[in-house]
Amino acid sequence: MPKDHGIGAASKRREDVRFLTGTGNYTDDINLPRQLYVHFLRSDVAHGEIRHIDTGAAEAMPGVKRVFTGKDFEGVGGLPCGWQVTDRHGQPMQEPAHPVIAQGKVRYVGEILAAVVADSRERARDAAEAIEFDIAELPAVVDMKAALAPDAPKVHDDLDGNLCYDWGFVEENRETVDAAIREAAHVTTLELVNNRLVANPMEPRVAVGDYSRADDQSTLYTTSQNPHVIRLLMGAFVLGIPEHKLRVVAPDVGGGFGSKIFHYAEEAFCTFAARQLGRPVKWTSTRSEAFMSDAHGRDHVTKIELALDADNNFTALRTETHANMGAYLSTFAPSVPTWLHGTLMAGNYKTPNIYVNVKAVFTNTVPVDAYRGAGRPEATFQLERVIDKAARELGVDPIALRRQNFVTEFPYATPVAVEYDTGDYNATMDKLEEIADIKGFAARRKESEARGKLRGLGVNAYIEACGIAPSNLVGQLGARAGLYDAATVRVNATGSISVMVGAHSHGQGHETAFPQVISEMLGIGEDQVEIVHGDTSKIPFGMGTYGSRSLAVCGSAMVRATEKVVAKAKKIAAHLLEAAEADIELRDGKFTVAGTDKEVAWGDVTLAAYVPHNYPLEDVEPGLEETAFYDPANFTYPAGAYACEVEVDPETGKVTIERFAAADDFGNVINPMIVDGQVHGGLAQGIGQALLENCAYDENGQLVSASYMDYAMPRADDVPFYTVDHSCQTPCTHNPLGVKGCGEAGAIGSPPTIVNAVIDALHSGGHKVDHIDMPLTPSRVWAAMQG
Amino acid sequence: MYAFDFEKPTSLNEAVTALQTEEAMPLGGGQTLIPSLKQRLAAPSKLVSLRGVDEIRGICRDDAGRICIGGGTTHAEVAAGVPEYPALAALAANIGDPAVRNRGTIGGSLANNDPSACYPAAALASGATIVTNTREIAADDYFEGMFMTALEEGEIITEVRFPVPEKAHYEKFEQPASRFALVGVFVAKFADGVRVAVTGASEEGVFRWSEAEAALASDFTPEAVQGLSVPAEGMIGDLHGSPEYRAHLVGVMTRRAVAAAG
Ligand SMILES: Cc1cc2nc3c(=O)[nH]c(=O)nc-3n(C[C@H](O)[C@H](O)[C@H](O)COP(=O)(O)OP(=O)(O)OC[C@H]3O[C@@H](n4cnc5c(N)ncnc54)[C@H](O)[C@@H]3O)c2cc1C
């Protein structure tokens, strides 16, 4: 019988009550007395020298308090980059200054040129139009390879060209890999683009800065996935405010998908301006602004070569990727194409020799950073596409080729520096073949063909690294912060519990899933547990939510803290029951003495902790509250296998997804319903990337897909009814919950599945098309069919 | 938005008078105009809402059997209100989403004449008459290119009169992002001939494909237009499709429209 509470129960998401009834408290719902509004004047050219800005007329407009330009930020720090990559030659990456407001030059369409603070949004906007400025337009670099040409215009005049870094991984293996490819029986080569995306969370970004002169406190309310990271970066590097004088609050957040990890200029501006003006300053992004100021995702151009021996064993893999950084380094940008991408190039396979080269390039475009999956979708896409192409070239079954090369023994140390603790890739592939009814495909294809449609089947495996991450490891890799997490379990006198967590929930359902764990551990009702997150003045110093890390890292911290609570509570119970501590057991919300019928309820023990009249004060402090920090020993490695069937309309090139099945191994599952939802959402985003979404610039650096009129988001009728399964479970071996993380899997595993299926469909119609770059829009598919 | 005055008259006469002010604009459902105001792409001195003008709203039939749709009638009202012209009802039912259909009006759509909009194809293929507060304009004389029409400043579309064809169908291939027509073809077969109107494709806006009309006049079957094509030159090329692709789709959508019209 399915459980109705605790670990494994499909408990309903309690937070949905407020989200669905319009009673959530989002940043834009926060309005402070005497609040002012900022409008940002943004560059409409991609590259130009700022010759002159005159704010006089704007400042004289009604309601305007002040107009800020780059000059006002000359003494202020720039936006920091949280990760330093070391290049092939042992040199640090090139790291340009990243001002809050443009200084000297503008470098992308959307960069902040000036900021008007006024008593209403419309007045601020009116005044922005009165700012006089003269920008001498410079030639823009948009294409990455063109940006690396010796005579290319430089995005940053003080850097040595537009190359941020040239990274080799593992550099020592380069020659071995080259030799293995030279000697291979077969080499399959593929060049492909991982398309640039805009995250487009439903809630655009908002920031409200506040300053209290009375106690010299700054507060920033912001749409963030990680309020402590923002406090750290903004306080220490930009504004010079010590932690105890700066509070960052991220209340309900309407989706992030990575784009709300980063510290943005608008946040620093509102905090800074509130202090300067002594009044709260608010910014609410419009959707149009979001397109040109939220960090973009992906944007890789890759050449991948897969070498096989005469028996079709993978012998070597070599990749060369150009990764677009945009005009500046966003917070975690350098890590995405390197440590989140190169380390996953082994995929699910025991390829012995792997070399990954990544050239990160500055261009006159919006900065690019992590987006759902971050680096891992790019790795999975190229690998699973090249394997499919190899199977076609060799005339072998693509599933059999994968199975033949799967890693089957764990732990497995890959040639790209990570060690998979556990997994069973054949098990998820078996499950997939069953739930996708691969056997029935031939009949379904016939049926489609009878209707004049081409039908294709795409199958692939994927692996990812989640639970980011061991601090000592990421420190060696260039992270400028630790990546542990923290939880405080505060047991109240009556036994109810508030858990303050460093993770941040912006759609993931922590408020439901985390209490399930505590309910399981203590045997009390889930409704007795409340999760508190998103306010640095309330929660311990944790690093927030991204990289499917919340449960694996922060959940583990919560388990550790709860274990400490239980240990202390047992001491109290032993005293109350006049028994030895070693004999005390906790079950179903009661402490019992082993082998007797003596018991004391959870609530009586917690009450004793706060009303310590009959209490072992000489041994135990009053109160029941514990904090734990948890730093994992390794990443976690969720993996799985996906199958997709598409129909292609041969006359129009339109692709429709007919079936999609996902067999995932997430280790232990706390709430299967939430996991289903996470996979559904991830798949929708994967489908968006594969078929619809395309962030496009023209050659002058103008954003062509700057609204929903041209940027196609997946809608309900673009996605099929999914068949998802997570019954294959190889629990993570190194965290107390045995969980691996499920937030990104769908977006990582699905783009190659869909492209593989479309290519298969085209081949069935006699179109010998090797590859089409995403998104596979009708016009692109049609053009490919024309040859 | 820039500041503007707002009037909501209850009669056509008052609306016409209100529109005498320089830079005044009529406001239909606002589904096109309000987004452009928000983007500050339009700066009218005054908006004159037609929402309260009941006399230009609703659907009736005239003595010639034509369907007469008030200029202020919403897409949703048309979708539900013209059962004898299923192709027109289906077209209206597939514009945008429910919110757009409950606000957007046929008058607003035809006045705007977006090159990717659906109604222009219906009006042109049906040989409709666009009636304004001052005159009647044949559809053939009304559309003058992308976002250009025969309307004068301050002129209000009060009614659109659609002759009902024997057979008709609108086949729309959606642009993936906006879901406007990447190419939309409306075919209408009358006793005295066939009219084929194409939207979404041409840089000149909606147009009649006379070659297809001629072929279909003698043989109203998909096969009759099988070999026909429009030249790619002059077709729109953008992120969503090249001129060649759009030209190709004109052929495909025309055949499908004829097949569906039966
Ligand atoms: C999300 C979305 C999806 C859409 N999808 C489609 C689609 O698939 N196909 C499609 O065809 N359209 C689509 N539209 C456009 C929609 O049909 C609009 O409603 C229509 O184009 C404009 O009608 P309106 O009544 O809203 O006009 P408004 O926006 O109010 O006005 C548009 C213009 O017409 C003028 N005007 C309005 N009424 C009159 C009148 N009676 N006489 C003279 N001038 C007038 C206004 O002054 C203005 O210049 C979509 C719109 C949105 C927002």
Side-chain angles (χ1 to χ4, degrees):
Chain A
M1 205 181 82
K3 291 176 75 170
D4 64 358
H5 72 282
I7 291 178
S11 301
K12 283 193 181 152
R13 294 188 5 144
R14 58 172 80 170
E15 48 269 76
D16 286 348
V17 174
R18 68 176 192 275
F19 297 156
L20 296 178
T21 56
T23 50
N25 182 37
Y26 295 90
T27 310
D28 198 42
D29 294 322
I30 293 169
N31 291 297
L32 303 175
R34 303 179 64 239
Q35 170 175 294
L36 298 169
Y37 298 84
V38 58
H39 178 85
F40 293 107
L41 176 66
R42 294 178 184 276
S43 176
D44 59 3
V45 300
H47 195 191
E49 190 192 316
I50 306 168
R51 291 261 172 84
H52 154 89
I53 303 187
D54 184 351
T55 59
E59 248 152 340
M61 302 263 294
V64 175
K65 292 293 165 217
R66 207 170 138 187
V67 181
F68 295 79
T69 65
K71 272 211 160 39
D72 298 288
F73 280 79
E74 273 168 5
V76 178
L79 300 174
C81 178
W83 203 294
Q84 185 180 66
V85 166
T86 304
D87 77 3
R88 284 176 53 203
H89 313 292
Q91 297 301 311
M93 66 188 189
Q94 296 207 78
E95 195 172 348
H98 189 175
V100 174
I101 298 187
Q103 291 176 6
K105 259 171 94 168
V106 285
R107 297 185 173 85
Y108 64 92
V109 170
E111 183 169 6
I112 300 172
L113 190 57
V116 182
V117 180
D119 58 11
S120 83
R121 229 169 245 145
E122 289 298 317
R123 283 176 147 184
R125 196 168 169 185
D126 286 342
E129 292 182 4
I131 297 174
E132 288 165 25
F133 60 90
D134 173 16
I135 294 182
E137 211 173 329
L138 297 166
V141 282
V142 178
D143 179 75
M144 285 189 274
K145 288 180 188 166
L148 295 182
D151 55 349
K154 281 165 79 171
V155 178
H156 297 277
D157 301 324
D158 53 339
L159 298 189
D160 182 12
N162 294 319
L163 183 67
C164 176
Y165 55 73
D166 180 7
W167 185 74
F169 187 62
V170 174
E171 191 58 25
E172 292 71 43
N173 297 345
R174 186 184 179 103
E175 279 166 25
T176 324
V177 171
D178 289 349
I181 288 178
R182 268 197 308 276
E183 288 154 19
H186 184 89
V187 178
T188 298
T189 305
L190 191 57
E191 292 186 33
L192 36 75
V193 172
N194 204 287
N195 42 326
R196 184 186 270 245
L197 303 175
V198 183
N200 278 308
M202 201 178 286
E203 176 206 28
R205 287 190 295 122
V206 182
V208 188
D210 190 20
Y211 178 70
S212 157
R213 231 179 270 294
D215 51 6
D216 187 31
Q217 274 283 339
S218 291
T219 304
L220 170 69
Y221 301 89
T222 183
T223 47
S224 175
Q225 301 176 214
N226 30 244
H228 268 299
V229 173
I230 303 305
R231 190 184 72 168
L232 176 72
L233 295 176
M234 184 174 76
F237 298 96
V238 190
L239 301 180
I241 307 174
E243 291 99 318
H244 66 298
K245 292 294 179 191
L246 178 59
R247 174 181 170 212
V248 176
V249 184
D252 284 333
V253 172
F257 313 112
S259 72
K260 292 174 181 167
I261 298 172
F262 324 119
H263 176 39
Y264 286 98
E266 295 86 355
E267 296 172 321
F269 178 84
C270 289
T271 312
F272 177 81
R275 199 175 160 135
Q276 295 271 309
L277 299 169
R279 287 175 66 174
V281 175
K282 180 171 190 172
W283 170 68
T284 303
S285 176
T286 63
R287 187 60 69 183
S288 309
E289 269 183 299
F291 270 100
M292 54 178 166
S293 67
D294 290 4
H296 293 170
R298 316 275 195 261
D299 204 349
H300 286 192
V301 176
T302 295
K303 179 181 177 191
I304 180 168
E305 296 158 283
L306 174 67
L308 302 93
D309 68 14
D311 299 322
N312 297 340
N313 297 309
F314 302 165
T315 58
L317 186 76
R318 182 169 62 195
T319 72
E320 184 194 20
T321 288
H322 286 79
N324 205 334
M325 295 286 102
Y328 297 97
L329 291 179
S330 173
T331 313
F332 290 112
S335 69
V336 175
T338 51
W339 300 105
L340 294 174
H341 161 255
T343 51
L344 272 302
M345 268 334 299
N348 311 55
Y349 311 98
K350 51 190 184 222
T351 317
N353 302 296
I354 299 178
Y355 179 74
V356 179
N357 175 243
V358 178
K359 296 175 181 74
V361 185
F362 293 113
T363 60
N364 292 112
T365 62
V366 170
V368 180
D369 206 326
Y371 167 68
R372 201 170 193 168
R376 291 151 287 168
E378 295 89 321
T380 305
F381 182 68
Q382 35 174 308
L383 184 60
E384 295 297 331
R385 285 288 303 125
V386 81
I387 293 172
D388 235 55
K389 187 173 179 226
R392 198 172 297 287
E393 287 173 356
L394 295 165
V396 299
D397 174 50
I399 298 179
L401 180 63
R402 288 180 168 88
R403 284 185 185 271
Q404 173 184 346
N405 286 284
F406 274 162
V407 172
T408 51
E409 280 166 35
F410 297 87
Y412 174 75
T414 71
V416 277
V418 292
E419 183 176 284
Y420 302 160
D421 58 342
T422 176
D424 187 344
Y425 310 144
N426 277 307
T428 42
M429 190 58 89
D430 291 344
K431 178 53 81 179
L432 180 78
E433 292 201 39
E434 173 199 326
I435 62 173
D437 182 28
I438 303 281
K439 283 204 188 75
F441 171 69
R444 292 190 293 274
R445 170 175 273 174
K446 273 220 176 67
E447 191 271 327
S448 296
E449 285 171 351
R451 285 184 286 107
K453 297 286 166 63
L454 304 174
R455 195 177 187 107
L457 169 67
V459 176
N460 63 273
Y462 80 89
I463 185 164
E464 55 163 330
C466 290
I468 290 174
S471 293
N472 56 5
L473 181 60
V474 298
Q476 286 167 32
L477 306 185
R480 288 165 167 163
L483 281 172
Y484 45 82
D485 220 288
T488 297
V489 175
R490 176 177 299 160
V491 184
N492 302 310
T494 59
S496 68
I497 296 178
S498 304
V499 191
M500 280 59 76
V501 295
H504 186 279
S505 190
H506 34 278
Q508 293 87 347
H510 297 172
E511 291 171 38
T512 302
F514 281 36
Q516 290 182 249
V517 173
I518 295 202
S519 163
E520 184 80 27
M521 291 177 75
L522 303 181
I524 62 173
E526 290 170 16
D527 61 352
Q528 294 299 297
V529 186
E530 189 81 4
I531 301 300
V532 177
H533 63 97
D535 182 342
T536 59
S537 70
K538 294 182 182 162
I539 61 171
F541 191 83
M543 304 308 283
T545 289
Y546 39 83
S548 306
R549 70 193 299 277
S550 300
L551 199 57
V553 186
C554 188
S556 295
M558 181 181 73
V559 169
R560 291 279 184 260
T562 307
E563 286 167 356
K564 291 189 200 176
V565 162
V566 170
K568 182 172 177 184
K570 279 184 175 175
K571 284 193 172 56
I572 304 168
H575 175 87
L576 295 176
L577 293 167
E578 295 172 341
E581 193 190 324
D583 294 335
I584 303 293
E585 290 171 358
L586 171 61
R587 198 170 300 127
D588 297 334
K590 285 183 211 122
F591 294 90
T592 55
V593 181
T596 74
D597 59 358
K598 292 212 284 186
E599 62 173 52
V600 57
W602 166 256
D604 291 328
V605 171
T606 62
L607 188 64
Y610 289 94
V611 189
H613 296 161
N614 172 20
Y615 197 80
L617 279 169
E618 55 292 351
D619 296 332
V620 189
E621 292 170 8
L624 199 50
E625 170 169 332
E626 298 288 349
T627 294
F629 283 70
Y630 181 82
D631 203 324
N634 191 355
F635 296 96
T636 63
Y637 299 93
Y642 288 180
C644 172
E645 287 179 29
V646 298
E647 272 188 1
V648 177
D649 178 342
E651 283 192 310
T652 63
K654 187 173 166 64
V655 176
T656 48
I657 297 183
E658 300 298 316
R659 293 164 71 96
F660 201 106
D664 293 293
D665 175 0
F666 296 132
N668 293 334
V669 166
I670 306 298
N671 183 320
M673 185 173 66
I674 290 180
V675 169
D676 283 354
Q678 291 289 307
V679 175
H680 288 187
L683 292 176
Q685 282 180 310
I687 290 169
Q689 169 160 33
L691 297 183
L692 297 159
E693 299 182 46
N694 185 21
C695 177
Y697 281 92
D698 71 11
E699 65 281 5
N700 300 319
Q702 290 296 332
L703 185 57
V704 179
S705 53
S707 80
Y708 290 141
M709 293 300 278
D710 288 302
Y711 189 92
M713 292 294 284
R715 293 161 159 96
D717 62 355
D718 289 315
V719 302
F721 283 93
Y722 309 110
T723 307
V724 303
D725 179 278
H726 29 78
S727 63
C728 298
Q729 299 180 351
T730 59
C732 169
T733 58
H734 56 80
N735 68 43
L737 289 167
V739 296
K740 294 185 174 179
C742 67
E744 295 155 296
I748 292 171
S750 61
T753 329
I754 297 157
V755 178
N756 288 347
V758 173
I759 298 298
D760 184 54
L762 296 185
H763 276 263
S764 79
H767 303 283
K768 305 253 173 285
V769 175
D770 281 336
H771 181 70
I772 306 173
D773 278 324
M774 301 185 291
L776 273 57
T777 58
S779 70
R780 287 188 180 184
V781 174
W782 178 79
M785 285 192 290
Q786 307 314 299
Chain B
M1 292 187 194
Y2 295 110
F4 52 81
D5 293 331
F6 183 75
E7 278 190 49
K8 192 173 177 188
T10 50
S11 75
L12 184 59
N13 275 340
E14 285 168 26
V16 169
T17 310
L19 282 168
Q20 303 293 305
T21 315
E22 199 149 323
E23 307 281 306
M25 280 178 93
L27 175 69
Q31 296 304 295
T32 297
L33 187 50
I34 289 182
S36 49
L37 292 176
K38 284 186 174 172
Q39 304 258 37
R40 298 194 164 202
L41 297 172
S45 63
K46 183 204 280 183
L47 284 189
V48 179
S49 170
L50 304 178
R51 192 93 181 153
V53 183
D54 288 341
E55 64 201 275
I56 66 162
R57 197 160 173 181
I59 302 170
C60 63
R61 281 81 196 159
D62 71 3
D63 295 341
R66 292 183 296 185
I67 300 178
C68 305
I69 303 176
T73 310
T74 64
H75 308 332
E77 287 162 349
V78 174
V82 293
E84 70 273 47
Y85 197 168
L88 185 62
L91 174 148
N94 196 33
I95 291 176
D97 50 48
V100 170
R101 293 193 290 274
N102 284 323
R103 301 292 311 187
T105 65
I106 188 169
S109 179
L110 291 175
N112 194 48
N113 192 21
D114 187 302
S116 305
C118 301
Y119 268 128
L124 193 57
S126 306
T129 302
I130 287 98
V131 183
T132 74
N133 55 308
T134 56
R135 56 185 169 145
E136 296 183 6
I137 313 169
D140 283 318
D141 302 326
Y142 175 82
F143 299 102
E144 298 185 343
M146 276 196 187
F147 299 108
M148 309 270 283
T149 69
L151 291 180
E152 304 284 344
E153 195 91 344
E155 198 171 353
I156 297 174
I157 297 178
T158 54
E159 195 171 85
V160 189
R161 296 184 187 143
F162 287 90
V164 181
E166 293 167 357
K167 293 177 176 178
H169 186 77
Y170 176 59
E171 190 74 20
K172 174 182 181 184
F173 192 83
E174 289 173 352
Q175 193 257 55
S178 71
R179 295 198 170 179
F180 276 65
L182 187 72
V183 168
V185 176
F186 200 113
V187 294
K189 180 181 184 310
F190 293 91
D192 59 350
V194 175
R195 294 170 68 104
V196 177
V198 180
T199 188
S202 168
E203 288 180 332
E204 305 292 316
V206 68
F207 69 95
R208 281 176 67 183
W209 187 14
S210 40
E211 250 186 295
E213 291 182 353
L216 291 167
S218 52
D219 177 13
F220 193 74
T221 65
E223 293 72 35
V225 282
Q226 182 68 46
L228 298 185
S229 61
V230 295
E233 200 184 326
M235 295 289 133
I236 298 169
D238 61 15
L239 201 55
H240 309 287
S242 61
E244 291 72 27
Y245 183 56
R246 281 191 168 80
H248 166 75
L249 283 181
V250 171
V252 178
M253 293 302 117
T254 303
R255 290 197 295 278
R256 290 186 180 179
V258 173

